[in-house]
Amino acid sequence: MEHIAAGKWELPDLLTGSEGERITTREQWQLRRPEILELFRQHVYGRNAIDRPAELRFETVDRSDGWMDGRAVRKQINIVYEGPGGTGVIRLLLFIPADIHRPVPAFLLINNREEEHIDPDRTIKSAFWPAEYIVSRGYAAAAFHVADVDPDDHDGFINGVHGIFDPPGITREGDAWGTIAAWAWGASRVMDYLAEDPDIDANRVAVVGHSRGGKTALWCGAQDDRFAMVVSNNSGCGGAAVSRGKQGETVQAINEKFPHWFSGNFKSYNGKENDLPVDQHMLLALAAPRLLYVTSATEDTWADPDAEYWACTLASPVYELYGLKGLAAAGRREKPDPGYPLQEGRIAYHLRAGKHDLTEYDWSCFIDAADRHLQ
Ligand code: GTR
C-alpha cells in the first residue's frame, strides 16, 4: 500500500488504486470509489443484511399546523419495516417551515442522546436539536432516535433490525453489519420517506450526527448519495478522525467498550491500526463531491481534533478531481482557531471552544454552509 506523509501521519494514499496506479481523473476515482466502500464494509462497519426492504410503508400519525407560534407544521411519520423476524418502526419527527415557499431543504438528525432532545410537543427544548432555530433559517428539522432501529447495547444482535433481518440460527460472519451500520440504514429509510414528501426538497437534505451519531452520518452518507450534505459533529474514532497515530480513543478502546458498533472483522485491528487497508480520510472522501461538514471541540481530546482536521485535509484531493475546492485551507498544518469556521470549500470544518457536544453554534455553522453551497 502506498502511503502519504501528512503532518505527523503516514496514511494510505487515497489517490493510489488497488494495482498501485495513480488516480488523476474523476473517472478513475469513480472506479476506485466502490472498491474503497467495499473495504469499509468488509473491515470496518460491516455489510447490511438488506437495502430498502420490500415491506416498507409510511404512516402519517399526525400533521398539524400552528407549531412554533404558527411558523411550523408538525408531521409525525411512522416508517414501518417488516422482515422475517418481525416488524420495526422508526418514528420520524418533522417540523416544516410554514411561511415560506415549499419544498424546503432539510436537516435530519440521527439522535443518539435521550429521547427528550427531540420532544414533539416542544415543551422541552434542547440545543442538541434546536428545531425552532433550524425552522427560522428556512430548513425543515427532522429527527429520529437510534433505538428505533437498534438499541445501543451489546445484545448479541438479537434486538432491532438485526433480529428482524438477520437469518436466525446462522453464525454471524466477520463482515456482518454492526449497530452503526444499522443506524445508518435507518437514516436511509428516513430518506426513502423524505424523497416522497412533497414539502421536502429531497435534493437538499443533510444527514447530521454527533459522536457515535456522527460516525453513523458519515457511513450513511458514504453509502447513500441521495444526501446532499453529510455532517459529522465530534465523531472521533471510527468517524472523522484518522485511526493511525490517533490520540485519545483507539480502535482497541472503542471495540472493547462498544463491541456491537462495528463489524467482527474490525476487532482484528485492535492495536494494529497500521494493518487497516483503509483509514478514515478515505471515508470522508466517499462524500465527494457533496458537501461535507466536520467539526471538533477544543476539549474533546478523546475524539482528537487534530486527527479529525487532518482527515479533512487528506480527503480534499478527491474534491479537486471534481474541480472543486475541498477543505479551504488544505495543507495548512494548524487547525483554524475556534470561532473561525472554514466554509469556502466543499469540505467545511470548524473547531468549537468547549466540550464534546452538539450546540446551537454548531447548528448555525452547518446552516451557514448549507446556505452557501446548497442553494
Ligand atoms: C464515547 C465513545 C466515543 C463517542 C461518544 C459518544 O464514550 O468513546 O466514540 O461515540 O461516546 O457517542 O458520545
Side-chain angles (χ1 to χ4, degrees):
M1 194 191 302
E2 287 291 316
H3 284 72
I4 189 160
K8 63 175 190 182
W9 280 281
E10 280 266 321
L11 290 157
D13 182 6
L14 250 179
L15 297 184
T16 304
S18 52
E19 310 291 322
E21 73 283 10
R22 277 309 288 160
I23 293 166
T24 56
T25 66
R26 189 187 314 184
E27 291 70 28
Q28 287 169 320
W29 166 253
Q30 278 159 356
L31 296 175
R32 175 70 176 142
R33 188 185 185 282
E35 295 175 358
I36 295 177
L37 193 57
E38 176 57 24
L39 291 171
F40 277 102
R41 285 200 183 100
Q42 180 72 31
H43 299 274
V44 184
Y45 303 101
R47 195 179 304 283
N48 295 357
I50 189 163
D51 187 16
R52 178 180 170 137
E55 300 295 329
L56 180 77
R57 55 181 196 276
F58 312 125
E59 297 173 353
T60 303
V61 180
D62 157 67
R63 188 201 177 288
S64 47
D65 296 311
W67 292 91
M68 304 179 179
D69 298 324
R71 282 191 281 274
V73 175
R74 184 182 76 183
K75 287 188 188 175
Q76 291 176 280
I77 312 292
N78 282 352
I79 299 170
V80 184
Y81 48 93
E82 281 174 35
T87 302
V89 181
I90 302 172
R91 291 161 302 151
L92 172 66
L93 173 60
L94 197 52
F95 288 99
I96 302 167
D99 48 2
I100 58 172
H101 178 71
R102 287 175 258 175
V104 291
F107 278 90
L108 169 64
L109 174 71
I110 300 168
N111 180 26
N112 56 286
R113 291 255 182 108
E114 294 78 16
E115 285 249 16
E116 296 78 68
H117 288 291
I118 52 174
D119 177 18
D121 298 327
R122 309 312 296 150
T123 314
I124 305 170
K125 298 208 175 58
S126 160
F128 194 78
W129 189 57
E132 284 72 10
Y133 175 72
I134 297 168
V135 164
S136 77
R137 298 270 316 251
Y139 291 79
F144 72 99
H145 197 272
V146 292
D148 284 0
V149 185
D150 196 24
D152 191 4
D153 48 48
H154 191 35
D155 58 22
F157 302 101
I158 286 167
N159 294 327
V161 287
H162 297 107
I164 293 176
F165 295 112
D166 291 352
I170 291 182
T171 320
R172 273 174 68 84
E173 300 287 340
D175 67 347
W177 55 342
T179 292
I180 288 175
W183 295 336
W185 176 92
S188 285
R189 303 294 68 81
V190 174
M191 185 54 154
D192 293 340
Y193 166 76
L194 294 174
E196 289 186 15
D197 185 329
D199 289 333
I200 303 296
D201 180 351
N203 294 318
R204 290 186 294 155
V205 178
V207 61
V208 183
H210 165 67
S211 203
R212 64 198 74 184
K215 309 179 210 292
T216 306
L218 289 170
W219 182 230
C220 172
Q223 296 176 97
D224 190 340
D225 64 9
R226 293 174 299 173
F227 288 101
M229 178 177 183
V230 180
V231 183
S232 151
N233 193 74
N234 302 184
S235 64
C237 183
V242 287
S243 302
R244 286 167 176 77
K246 185 182 176 304
Q247 302 298 302
E249 189 170 37
T250 60
V251 169
Q252 176 155 0
I254 206 166
N255 277 330
E256 286 177 354
K257 184 135 185 246
F258 304 101
H260 55 297
W261 281 2
F262 297 89
S263 67
N265 288 346
F266 195 48
K267 295 10 176 228
S268 55
Y269 300 101
N270 286 354
K272 295 186 194 156
E273 285 83 355
N274 287 333
D275 293 351
L276 271 164
V278 286
D279 210 320
Q280 299 301 112
H281 62 306
M282 301 166 82
L283 177 69
L284 299 188
L286 296 178
R290 292 164 294 149
L291 181 57
L292 170 68
Y293 205 124
V294 173
T295 77
S296 310
T298 51
E299 293 168 31
D300 191 10
T301 51
W302 190 236
D304 191 350
D306 283 320
E308 294 175 320
Y309 175 73
W310 270 101
C312 295
T313 289
L314 290 164
S316 291
V318 171
Y319 281 79
E320 287 157 22
L321 294 179
Y322 286 89
L324 299 165
K325 197 184 271 188
L327 184 71
R332 192 169 82 184
R333 278 171 181 270
E334 290 304 314
K335 302 186 294 302
D337 288 335
Y340 291 91
L342 295 174
Q343 299 191 340
E344 301 91 83
R346 300 283 292 184
I347 302 181
Y349 174 88
H350 73 247
L351 175 68
R352 174 176 48 72
K355 343 188 239 39
H356 182 71
D357 201 1
L358 173 57
T359 71
E360 195 159 313
Y361 170 78
D362 298 312
W363 280 103
S364 73
C365 294
F366 306 154
I367 297 173
D368 289 347
D371 281 353
R372 184 169 186 159
H373 295 281
L374 292 191
Q375 295 306 331

